[in-house]
Amino acid sequence: MDKPKVFVTRLIPEGGLELIRRACEVEVWPGELPPPRQVLLDRVRGLDGLLCLLTDRVDAELLDAAGPQLKVVSNMAVGYDNVDVAAATARGIPVGNTPGVLTETTADMAFALLMAAARRIVEGADYVRAGKWHTWSPTLLLGYDVHGATLGLVGLGRIGRAVARRAAGFEMRILYFDPYCDAGQAPFVDLVPCCSLDDLLAEADFVSLHVPLTAETYHLIGAEALAKMKPTAVLVNTSRGPVVDSDALYEALKEGRIAYAALDVTDPEPLPADHKLLTLPNCLVVPHIASASHATRTRMAIMAAENLLAGLRGERLPNCVNPEVYAARP
Ligand code: GLV
């Protein structure tokens, strides 16, 4: 019997690729950059399965270009705002993602960004490299204490809760705002619920974002929200770039209306080197690497491969974002 045909849109860790190679006729896009749109549209034609990344837009046009034999779309990410899930569901195609395995690694990064911003780590390192370190100074690069400060978590899903556990170790007071979730799901950490985002923004010394990108969260942190924050507050974003309005953030940072932003994700992404946010000393940007540890990326690749292979066999995906496709089946 012919092996199913699959396309993998970038070189992923070998642990995942090996599983796919054993069972499929696989083509892996060799570029460092994502396949251009037209190439992707061409390559998906006649495929049985697609393993894609958050940099690939999977929409109705792409699904139709693939054809009715397409059995599964497996996204190697926990977030899936790059996939038009409704379009996949309408075509009976299950979509997989990789929740859970990247929770702790992403929370580590959120906390690393929080600490780097609070204690001005990157500015300090740049200062030394620039040969400016001539003496110990009582007023050099003063930052903010993390221990004992108030952390505001916007979103209390898996990653938000993992950040809360880290913050508890620093004896932070932890507020959260999440209309879809309650603290019962964050065992052994004391959390203070906020009735509104505004309440959280007004009280928090550190605001860390842990929401998916949806129509509801697009520009959740815009000019109005930023105006509610303390002038000493630090904003950390490891969720999705468009949750924050970049122009409004630039203005708030430039005018000192908030103290600092530390961003793993940006809008646009990638952020061009000449972007105005990068002219600000109080904005730290890293290139969407929150889940980028050797072990976690391997786990994500394996999980994405397992979703893909289950879909190809016509079995339920171990992690499916649109389980309603199964209900719709006769
Ligand atoms: C990364 O951003 C992911 O969603 O896995």
Side-chain angles (χ1 to χ4, degrees):
M1 208 173 87
D2 285 348
K3 287 181 169 179
K5 275 172 57 180
V6 306
F7 184 55
V8 177
T9 61
R10 216 85 63 78
L11 193 60
I12 63 170
E14 189 51 35
L17 217 42
E18 192 191 327
L19 293 176
I20 300 171
R21 280 207 201 94
R22 271 193 229 143
C24 306
E25 185 187 320
V26 55
E27 188 188 355
V28 180
W29 176 247
E32 269 181 36
L33 295 177
R37 179 72 180 172
Q38 194 51 53
V39 172
L40 192 54
L41 286 169
D42 290 343
R43 298 294 165 99
V44 294
R45 199 149 291 136
L47 283 186
D48 298 298
L50 175 67
L51 191 149
C52 56
L53 308 185
L54 55 85
T55 44
D56 307 307
R57 181 161 49 88
V58 177
D59 54 11
E61 182 191 28
L62 190 98
L63 296 169
D64 289 340
Q69 76 300 326
L70 184 69
K71 290 192 188 63
V72 56
V73 170
S74 173
N75 204 39
M76 194 186 118
V78 65
Y80 48 88
D81 46 279
N82 58 308
V83 181
D84 182 341
V85 176
T89 307
R91 289 158 182 76
I93 299 168
V95 177
N97 73 335
T98 63
V101 289
L102 49 72
T103 300
E104 302 299 330
T105 303
T106 304
D108 285 349
M109 176 59 100
F111 218 78
L113 287 174
L114 183 156
M115 296 203 69
R119 301 305 306 275
R120 305 177 66 179
I121 301 286
V122 174
E123 284 168 273
D126 288 348
Y127 184 88
V128 175
R129 282 184 195 278
K132 294 181 183 166
W133 187 20
H134 301 306
T135 182
W136 184 87
S137 159
T139 55
L140 178 63
L141 288 168
L142 303 184
Y144 296 100
D145 282 327
V146 173
H147 68 273
T150 297
L151 170 66
L153 296 170
V154 181
L156 193 65
R158 292 182 208 86
I159 298 171
R161 280 177 265 147
V163 173
R165 289 196 301 275
R166 285 154 179 75
F170 281 75
E171 302 190 329
M172 297 182 92
R173 178 169 169 255
I174 308 164
L175 314 177
Y176 75 93
F177 172 70
D178 190 333
Y180 300 103
C181 188
D182 70 42
Q185 292 169 299
F188 74 76
V189 176
D190 280 339
L191 298 172
V192 182
C194 288
C195 301
S196 71
L197 179 60
D198 286 359
D199 290 350
L200 178 145
L201 295 173
E203 273 201 62
D205 300 309
F206 297 89
V207 173
S208 191
L209 307 178
H210 302 288
V211 290
L213 175 61
T214 62
E216 202 185 343
T217 62
Y218 178 80
H219 283 193
L220 184 67
I221 306 297
E224 251 184 63
L226 289 160
K228 303 265 164 43
M229 291 170 66
K230 295 180 179 178
T232 51
V234 170
L235 177 70
V236 177
N237 191 7
T238 52
S239 62
R240 283 290 184 266
V243 173
V244 177
D245 176 345
S246 296
D247 291 330
L249 178 63
Y250 172 77
E251 294 302 327
L253 288 168
K254 187 162 155 268
E255 289 168 18
R257 282 188 272 115
I258 69 167
Y260 214 108
L263 313 172
D264 179 52
V265 289
T266 58
D267 183 19
E269 200 168 291
L271 197 67
D274 60 357
H275 192 277
K276 60 187 173 181
L277 277 174
L278 298 177
T279 64
L280 300 171
N282 53 346
C283 186
L284 164 59
V285 181
V286 295
H288 203 151
I289 52 172
S291 66
S293 74
H294 293 286
T296 291
R297 284 286 165 84
T298 291
R299 286 191 200 108
M300 287 169 70
I302 290 173
M303 202 166 184
E306 286 169 350
N307 280 332
L308 181 82
L309 296 176
L312 292 171
R313 290 191 298 263
E315 292 166 10
R316 212 181 167 92
L317 310 196
N319 288 282
C320 184
V321 305
N322 58 344
E324 58 276 18
V325 285
Y326 300 113
R329 283 183 187 174

PDB file of all heavy atoms in Angstrom, residues 54 75-82 98-99 102 106 159 238-240 264-265 269 288-291 297 300, ligand 1:
ATOM      1  N   LEU A  54       3.587  27.929  13.301  1.00  0.00           N
ATOM      2  CA  LEU A  54       2.777  29.126  13.521  1.00  0.00           C
ATOM      3  C   LEU A  54       3.051  30.211  12.490  1.00  0.00           C
ATOM      4  O   LEU A  54       2.317  31.201  12.399  1.00  0.00           O
ATOM      5  CB  LEU A  54       2.969  29.646  14.957  1.00  0.00           C
ATOM      6  CG  LEU A  54       4.381  29.949  15.444  1.00  0.00           C
ATOM      7  CD1 LEU A  54       4.827  31.335  15.057  1.00  0.00           C
ATOM      8  CD2 LEU A  54       4.460  29.787  16.952  1.00  0.00           C
ATOM      9  N   ASN A  75      -0.365  21.354  13.791  1.00  0.00           N
ATOM     10  CA  ASN A  75       0.383  22.593  14.003  1.00  0.00           C
ATOM     11  C   ASN A  75       1.370  22.357  15.140  1.00  0.00           C
ATOM     12  O   ASN A  75       0.972  21.977  16.243  1.00  0.00           O
ATOM     13  CB  ASN A  75      -0.618  23.688  14.403  1.00  0.00           C
ATOM     14  CG  ASN A  75      -0.140  25.087  14.096  1.00  0.00           C
ATOM     15  OD1 ASN A  75       0.479  25.322  13.053  1.00  0.00           O
ATOM     16  ND2 ASN A  75      -0.440  26.033  14.977  1.00  0.00           N
ATOM     17  N   MET A  76       2.658  22.574  14.879  1.00  0.00           N
ATOM     18  CA  MET A  76       3.653  22.354  15.934  1.00  0.00           C
ATOM     19  C   MET A  76       3.753  23.604  16.815  1.00  0.00           C
ATOM     20  O   MET A  76       4.721  24.344  16.782  1.00  0.00           O
ATOM     21  CB  MET A  76       5.015  21.998  15.338  1.00  0.00           C
ATOM     22  CG  MET A  76       5.975  21.428  16.375  1.00  0.00           C
ATOM     23  SD  MET A  76       7.633  21.168  15.738  1.00  0.00           S
ATOM     24  CE  MET A  76       8.593  22.255  16.775  1.00  0.00           C
ATOM     25  N   ALA A  77       2.731  23.822  17.601  1.00  0.00           N
ATOM     26  CA  ALA A  77       2.636  24.975  18.515  1.00  0.00           C
ATOM     27  C   ALA A  77       1.418  24.732  19.388  1.00  0.00           C
ATOM     28  O   ALA A  77       0.512  23.982  18.992  1.00  0.00           O
ATOM     29  CB  ALA A  77       2.447  26.267  17.731  1.00  0.00           C
ATOM     30  N   VAL A  78       1.402  25.384  20.537  1.00  0.00           N
ATOM     31  CA  VAL A  78       0.165  25.307  21.334  1.00  0.00           C
ATOM     32  C   VAL A  78      -0.853  26.295  20.784  1.00  0.00           C
ATOM     33  O   VAL A  78      -2.040  26.015  20.723  1.00  0.00           O
ATOM     34  CB  VAL A  78       0.457  25.511  22.850  1.00  0.00           C
ATOM     35  CG1 VAL A  78       0.977  26.897  23.169  1.00  0.00           C
ATOM     36  CG2 VAL A  78      -0.801  25.243  23.656  1.00  0.00           C
ATOM     37  N   GLY A  79      -0.375  27.484  20.352  1.00  0.00           N
ATOM     38  CA  GLY A  79      -1.275  28.479  19.770  1.00  0.00           C
ATOM     39  C   GLY A  79      -1.616  28.071  18.338  1.00  0.00           C
ATOM     40  O   GLY A  79      -0.794  27.464  17.654  1.00  0.00           O
ATOM     41  N   TYR A  80      -2.819  28.405  17.901  1.00  0.00           N
ATOM     42  CA  TYR A  80      -3.198  27.995  16.540  1.00  0.00           C
ATOM     43  C   TYR A  80      -3.972  29.101  15.837  1.00  0.00           C
ATOM     44  O   TYR A  80      -4.834  28.838  15.003  1.00  0.00           O
ATOM     45  CB  TYR A  80      -3.961  26.658  16.568  1.00  0.00           C
ATOM     46  CG  TYR A  80      -5.075  26.593  17.587  1.00  0.00           C
ATOM     47  CD1 TYR A  80      -6.359  27.032  17.255  1.00  0.00           C
ATOM     48  CD2 TYR A  80      -4.849  26.123  18.864  1.00  0.00           C
ATOM     49  CE1 TYR A  80      -7.381  26.982  18.191  1.00  0.00           C
ATOM     50  CE2 TYR A  80      -5.862  26.073  19.819  1.00  0.00           C
ATOM     51  CZ  TYR A  80      -7.126  26.510  19.459  1.00  0.00           C
ATOM     52  OH  TYR A  80      -8.146  26.468  20.388  1.00  0.00           O
ATOM     53  N   ASP A  81      -3.642  30.337  16.181  1.00  0.00           N
ATOM     54  CA  ASP A  81      -4.317  31.465  15.530  1.00  0.00           C
ATOM     55  C   ASP A  81      -3.925  31.586  14.051  1.00  0.00           C
ATOM     56  O   ASP A  81      -4.561  32.316  13.305  1.00  0.00           O
ATOM     57  CB  ASP A  81      -4.012  32.769  16.275  1.00  0.00           C
ATOM     58  CG  ASP A  81      -2.546  32.911  16.609  1.00  0.00           C
ATOM     59  OD1 ASP A  81      -2.114  32.316  17.616  1.00  0.00           O
ATOM     60  OD2 ASP A  81      -1.813  33.553  15.832  1.00  0.00           O
ATOM     61  N   ASN A  82      -2.893  30.861  13.627  1.00  0.00           N
ATOM     62  CA  ASN A  82      -2.514  30.839  12.203  1.00  0.00           C
ATOM     63  C   ASN A  82      -3.417  29.916  11.379  1.00  0.00           C
ATOM     64  O   ASN A  82      -3.330  29.909  10.148  1.00  0.00           O
ATOM     65  CB  ASN A  82      -1.053  30.367  12.049  1.00  0.00           C
ATOM     66  CG  ASN A  82      -0.812  28.993  12.647  1.00  0.00           C
ATOM     67  OD1 ASN A  82      -1.150  28.750  13.805  1.00  0.00           O
ATOM     68  ND2 ASN A  82      -0.262  28.088  11.874  1.00  0.00           N
ATOM     69  N   THR A  98       0.016  21.417  20.246  1.00  0.00           N
ATOM     70  CA  THR A  98       0.952  20.761  21.172  1.00  0.00           C
ATOM     71  C   THR A  98       0.873  21.365  22.584  1.00  0.00           C
ATOM     72  O   THR A  98       1.850  21.931  23.077  1.00  0.00           O
ATOM     73  CB  THR A  98       2.403  20.875  20.651  1.00  0.00           C
ATOM     74  OG1 THR A  98       2.765  22.271  20.613  1.00  0.00           O
ATOM     75  CG2 THR A  98       2.565  20.271  19.278  1.00  0.00           C
ATOM     76  N   PRO A  99      -0.265  21.238  23.252  1.00  0.00           N
ATOM     77  CA  PRO A  99      -0.383  21.827  24.589  1.00  0.00           C
ATOM     78  C   PRO A  99       0.368  21.015  25.639  1.00  0.00           C
ATOM     79  O   PRO A  99       0.660  19.846  25.445  1.00  0.00           O
ATOM     80  CB  PRO A  99      -1.893  21.754  24.847  1.00  0.00           C
ATOM     81  CG  PRO A  99      -2.344  20.572  24.062  1.00  0.00           C
ATOM     82  CD  PRO A  99      -1.478  20.533  22.836  1.00  0.00           C
ATOM     83  N   LEU A 102       5.018  22.433  26.517  1.00  0.00           N
ATOM     84  CA  LEU A 102       5.837  23.651  26.526  1.00  0.00           C
ATOM     85  C   LEU A 102       5.485  24.594  27.674  1.00  0.00           C
ATOM     86  O   LEU A 102       6.058  25.680  27.787  1.00  0.00           O
ATOM     87  CB  LEU A 102       5.718  24.374  25.176  1.00  0.00           C
ATOM     88  CG  LEU A 102       4.321  24.603  24.602  1.00  0.00           C
ATOM     89  CD1 LEU A 102       3.551  25.641  25.353  1.00  0.00           C
ATOM     90  CD2 LEU A 102       4.423  24.960  23.142  1.00  0.00           C
ATOM     91  N   THR A 106       7.920  27.726  28.695  1.00  0.00           N
ATOM     92  CA  THR A 106       7.420  29.063  28.370  1.00  0.00           C
ATOM     93  C   THR A 106       7.314  29.913  29.638  1.00  0.00           C
ATOM     94  O   THR A 106       7.640  31.109  29.631  1.00  0.00           O
ATOM     95  CB  THR A 106       6.061  28.950  27.649  1.00  0.00           C
ATOM     96  OG1 THR A 106       6.247  28.126  26.500  1.00  0.00           O
ATOM     97  CG2 THR A 106       5.537  30.303  27.210  1.00  0.00           C
ATOM     98  N   ILE A 159      -0.077  28.093  31.234  1.00  0.00           N
ATOM     99  CA  ILE A 159       1.182  28.852  31.343  1.00  0.00           C
ATOM    100  C   ILE A 159       1.065  29.926  32.431  1.00  0.00           C
ATOM    101  O   ILE A 159       1.983  30.113  33.238  1.00  0.00           O
ATOM    102  CB  ILE A 159       1.584  29.434  29.970  1.00  0.00           C
ATOM    103  CG1 ILE A 159       1.817  28.291  28.971  1.00  0.00           C
ATOM    104  CG2 ILE A 159       2.850  30.289  30.097  1.00  0.00           C
ATOM    105  CD1 ILE A 159       2.013  28.723  27.522  1.00  0.00           C
ATOM    106  N   THR A 238       4.542  36.937  26.483  1.00  0.00           N
ATOM    107  CA  THR A 238       4.990  35.671  25.869  1.00  0.00           C
ATOM    108  C   THR A 238       3.802  34.994  25.195  1.00  0.00           C
ATOM    109  O   THR A 238       3.847  33.788  24.949  1.00  0.00           O
ATOM    110  CB  THR A 238       5.578  34.703  26.926  1.00  0.00           C
ATOM    111  OG1 THR A 238       4.629  34.571  27.992  1.00  0.00           O
ATOM    112  CG2 THR A 238       6.905  35.184  27.467  1.00  0.00           C
ATOM    113  N   SER A 239       2.730  35.767  24.901  1.00  0.00           N
ATOM    114  CA  SER A 239       1.528  35.132  24.340  1.00  0.00           C
ATOM    115  C   SER A 239       1.550  35.238  22.811  1.00  0.00           C
ATOM    116  O   SER A 239       2.144  34.385  22.135  1.00  0.00           O
ATOM    117  CB  SER A 239       0.269  35.739  24.948  1.00  0.00           C
ATOM    118  OG  SER A 239       0.148  37.110  24.665  1.00  0.00           O
ATOM    119  N   ARG A 240       0.949  36.288  22.287  1.00  0.00           N
ATOM    120  CA  ARG A 240       1.012  36.575  20.853  1.00  0.00           C
ATOM    121  C   ARG A 240       1.165  38.081  20.686  1.00  0.00           C
ATOM    122  O   ARG A 240       0.548  38.860  21.430  1.00  0.00           O
ATOM    123  CB  ARG A 240      -0.262  36.104  20.139  1.00  0.00           C
ATOM    124  CG  ARG A 240      -0.322  34.599  19.907  1.00  0.00           C
ATOM    125  CD  ARG A 240       0.691  34.145  18.853  1.00  0.00           C
ATOM    126  NE  ARG A 240       0.585  32.730  18.546  1.00  0.00           N
ATOM    127  CZ  ARG A 240       1.306  31.751  19.121  1.00  0.00           C
ATOM    128  NH1 ARG A 240       2.197  32.037  20.052  1.00  0.00           N
ATOM    129  NH2 ARG A 240       1.138  30.496  18.739  1.00  0.00           N
ATOM    130  N   ASP A 264       8.551  38.569  24.072  1.00  0.00           N
ATOM    131  CA  ASP A 264       9.009  37.409  23.293  1.00  0.00           C
ATOM    132  C   ASP A 264       8.296  37.389  21.951  1.00  0.00           C
ATOM    133  O   ASP A 264       8.752  36.747  21.005  1.00  0.00           O
ATOM    134  CB  ASP A 264       8.699  36.120  24.068  1.00  0.00           C
ATOM    135  CG  ASP A 264       9.120  34.876  23.308  1.00  0.00           C
ATOM    136  OD1 ASP A 264      10.285  34.813  22.875  1.00  0.00           O
ATOM    137  OD2 ASP A 264       8.274  33.979  23.111  1.00  0.00           O
ATOM    138  N   VAL A 265       7.168  38.054  21.912  1.00  0.00           N
ATOM    139  CA  VAL A 265       6.330  38.071  20.705  1.00  0.00           C
ATOM    140  C   VAL A 265       5.999  39.516  20.375  1.00  0.00           C
ATOM    141  O   VAL A 265       5.877  40.352  21.279  1.00  0.00           O
ATOM    142  CB  VAL A 265       5.037  37.264  20.935  1.00  0.00           C
ATOM    143  CG1 VAL A 265       5.324  35.775  21.016  1.00  0.00           C
ATOM    144  CG2 VAL A 265       4.326  37.729  22.197  1.00  0.00           C
ATOM    145  N   GLU A 269       5.676  40.411  13.365  1.00  0.00           N
ATOM    146  CA  GLU A 269       6.653  39.392  13.700  1.00  0.00           C
ATOM    147  C   GLU A 269       7.098  38.729  12.408  1.00  0.00           C
ATOM    148  O   GLU A 269       6.221  38.315  11.643  1.00  0.00           O
ATOM    149  CB  GLU A 269       6.004  38.365  14.630  1.00  0.00           C
ATOM    150  CG  GLU A 269       7.010  37.565  15.401  1.00  0.00           C
ATOM    151  CD  GLU A 269       6.350  36.750  16.521  1.00  0.00           C
ATOM    152  OE1 GLU A 269       5.862  37.314  17.505  1.00  0.00           O
ATOM    153  OE2 GLU A 269       6.339  35.521  16.346  1.00  0.00           O
ATOM    154  N   HIS A 288      10.675  35.314  19.746  1.00  0.00           N
ATOM    155  CA  HIS A 288       9.665  34.257  19.897  1.00  0.00           C
ATOM    156  C   HIS A 288      10.324  32.901  20.198  1.00  0.00           C
ATOM    157  O   HIS A 288      10.180  31.940  19.446  1.00  0.00           O
ATOM    158  CB  HIS A 288       8.786  34.172  18.634  1.00  0.00           C
ATOM    159  CG  HIS A 288       7.447  33.545  18.891  1.00  0.00           C
ATOM    160  ND1 HIS A 288       6.325  33.853  18.172  1.00  0.00           N
ATOM    161  CD2 HIS A 288       7.050  32.610  19.805  1.00  0.00           C
ATOM    162  CE1 HIS A 288       5.290  33.145  18.613  1.00  0.00           C
ATOM    163  NE2 HIS A 288       5.713  32.383  19.604  1.00  0.00           N
ATOM    164  N   ILE A 289      11.028  32.892  21.330  1.00  0.00           N
ATOM    165  CA  ILE A 289      11.799  31.688  21.698  1.00  0.00           C
ATOM    166  C   ILE A 289      11.364  31.118  23.050  1.00  0.00           C
ATOM    167  O   ILE A 289      12.101  30.345  23.665  1.00  0.00           O
ATOM    168  CB  ILE A 289      13.325  31.987  21.734  1.00  0.00           C
ATOM    169  CG1 ILE A 289      13.624  33.210  22.611  1.00  0.00           C
ATOM    170  CG2 ILE A 289      13.876  32.152  20.328  1.00  0.00           C
ATOM    171  CD1 ILE A 289      15.116  33.443  22.860  1.00  0.00           C
ATOM    172  N   ALA A 290      10.159  31.477  23.505  1.00  0.00           N
ATOM    173  CA  ALA A 290       9.783  31.059  24.860  1.00  0.00           C
ATOM    174  C   ALA A 290       9.772  29.540  25.034  1.00  0.00           C
ATOM    175  O   ALA A 290      10.094  29.031  26.100  1.00  0.00           O
ATOM    176  CB  ALA A 290       8.437  31.654  25.250  1.00  0.00           C
ATOM    177  N   SER A 291       9.420  28.806  23.991  1.00  0.00           N
ATOM    178  CA  SER A 291       9.401  27.339  24.142  1.00  0.00           C
ATOM    179  C   SER A 291      10.694  26.697  23.626  1.00  0.00           C
ATOM    180  O   SER A 291      10.780  25.476  23.505  1.00  0.00           O
ATOM    181  CB  SER A 291       8.202  26.745  23.389  1.00  0.00           C
ATOM    182  OG  SER A 291       8.339  26.942  21.991  1.00  0.00           O
ATOM    183  N   ARG A 297      11.398  21.520  22.484  1.00  0.00           N
ATOM    184  CA  ARG A 297      11.119  21.523  21.049  1.00  0.00           C
ATOM    185  C   ARG A 297      11.065  20.084  20.498  1.00  0.00           C
ATOM    186  O   ARG A 297      10.299  19.791  19.590  1.00  0.00           O
ATOM    187  CB  ARG A 297      12.160  22.368  20.305  1.00  0.00           C
ATOM    188  CG  ARG A 297      11.912  23.873  20.481  1.00  0.00           C
ATOM    189  CD  ARG A 297      10.720  24.356  19.668  1.00  0.00           C
ATOM    190  NE  ARG A 297      10.265  25.670  20.072  1.00  0.00           N
ATOM    191  CZ  ARG A 297      10.786  26.821  19.648  1.00  0.00           C
ATOM    192  NH1 ARG A 297      11.815  26.820  18.813  1.00  0.00           N
ATOM    193  NH2 ARG A 297      10.300  27.966  20.057  1.00  0.00           N
ATOM    194  N   MET A 300       7.679  18.815  21.438  1.00  0.00           N
ATOM    195  CA  MET A 300       6.645  19.420  20.574  1.00  0.00           C
ATOM    196  C   MET A 300       6.620  18.730  19.209  1.00  0.00           C
ATOM    197  O   MET A 300       5.557  18.474  18.635  1.00  0.00           O
ATOM    198  CB  MET A 300       6.908  20.920  20.387  1.00  0.00           C
ATOM    199  CG  MET A 300       6.612  21.747  21.624  1.00  0.00           C
ATOM    200  SD  MET A 300       7.235  23.449  21.481  1.00  0.00           S
ATOM    201  CE  MET A 300       6.139  24.123  20.235  1.00  0.00           C
TER     202      MET A 300
HETATM  203  C1  GLV B   1       4.412  29.157  20.459  1.00  0.00           C
HETATM  204  O1  GLV B   1       4.244  30.351  20.445  1.00  0.00           O
HETATM  205  C2  GLV B   1       3.356  28.225  20.531  1.00  0.00           C
HETATM  206  O2  GLV B   1       2.173  28.612  20.416  1.00  0.00           O
HETATM  207  O3  GLV B   1       3.645  27.032  20.703  1.00  0.00           O
END
